[in-house]
Amino acid sequence: MDIQADIMDHYFMEEALALARKAYEEGEIPVGALVVAKDRIIGRGYNQTERLNDVTAHAEMIAITAAADHVGSKYLTDCTLYVTLEPCVMCAGALYWTQVRRVVVGAQDEKRGFSKIKQPLLHPKTKLVTGIMAMESQELLLKFFRELRT
Ligand SMILES: [Zn+2]
């Protein structure tokens, strides 16, 4: 295992978690995402489906759009996307089109996660890393849904 890469992954996942907490504070399902190029954050997003009344306003979609705008290209081939919860099928599909180099995931999504689909959805060039700070991401989601029920 590459220790340096692992440290950076935790560092950026902490940043993605901060975005998830922001979503939480705004009454949105707490998911945060960011896109990193050369150890710099070039796109941020958190779930805003309620505020924007838009089912496509997932954290990943917003972060991808911001990053593409930043690099001036629809491709994110030299980038890493960090997301606190496993992408859904829609977001995995969008990530395919970006040809993003790496996708780093926090918690697994047992219900809507893209890995439930048998067909590989990410681009063949994309490297997938899972389980980075999964507990923290999961905790925040559980807290949100617990409060929603009470
Ligand atoms: Zn999604």
Side-chain angles (χ1 to χ4, degrees):
M1 191 181 62
D2 186 340
I3 301 285
Q4 186 62 33
D6 193 54
I7 290 167
M8 291 314 279
D9 282 350
H10 279 80
Y11 173 80
F12 287 120
M13 191 58 86
E14 189 69 68
E15 294 287 309
L17 253 164
L19 289 164
R21 287 189 197 104
K22 209 168 161 181
Y24 174 84
E25 278 157 24
E26 294 179 16
E28 302 276 359
I29 294 174
V31 181
L34 45 91
V35 177
V36 171
K38 297 187 181 77
D39 294 339
R40 271 190 53 221
I41 298 170
I42 61 163
R44 289 177 172 80
Y46 59 91
N47 183 43
Q48 293 189 53
T49 52
E50 296 299 325
R51 189 210 279 184
L52 300 177
N53 247 335
D54 181 358
V55 294
T56 72
H58 285 184
E60 302 95 309
M61 303 296 265
I62 294 165
I64 288 169
T65 304
D69 197 45
H70 181 93
V71 297
S73 163
K74 62 184 173 179
Y75 296 118
L76 301 173
T77 40
D78 292 322
C79 303
T80 299
L81 176 116
Y82 292 85
V83 60
T84 58
L85 181 67
E86 181 186 3
C88 70
V89 170
M90 171 183 73
C91 291
L95 286 165
Y96 173 91
W97 297 116
T98 67
Q99 300 187 14
V100 68
R101 187 157 56 96
R102 290 172 77 229
V103 172
V104 181
V105 173
Q108 293 297 114
D109 186 346
E110 299 300 333
K111 283 192 185 129
R112 307 296 307 171
F114 78 93
S115 62
K116 297 284 156 287
I117 310 292
K118 292 282 165 281
Q119 199 84 5
L121 291 180
L122 293 178
H123 196 277
K125 284 181 190 157
T126 301
K127 188 176 182 288
L128 178 67
V129 178
T130 58
I132 302 294
M133 302 185 69
M135 289 282 281
E136 290 87 344
S137 297
Q138 189 76 34
E139 252 319 299
L140 188 62
L141 283 156
L142 288 173
K143 189 175 164 205
F144 176 83
F145 286 111
R146 216 180 294 132
E147 284 166 7
L148 207 62
R149 280 194 299 267
T150 54

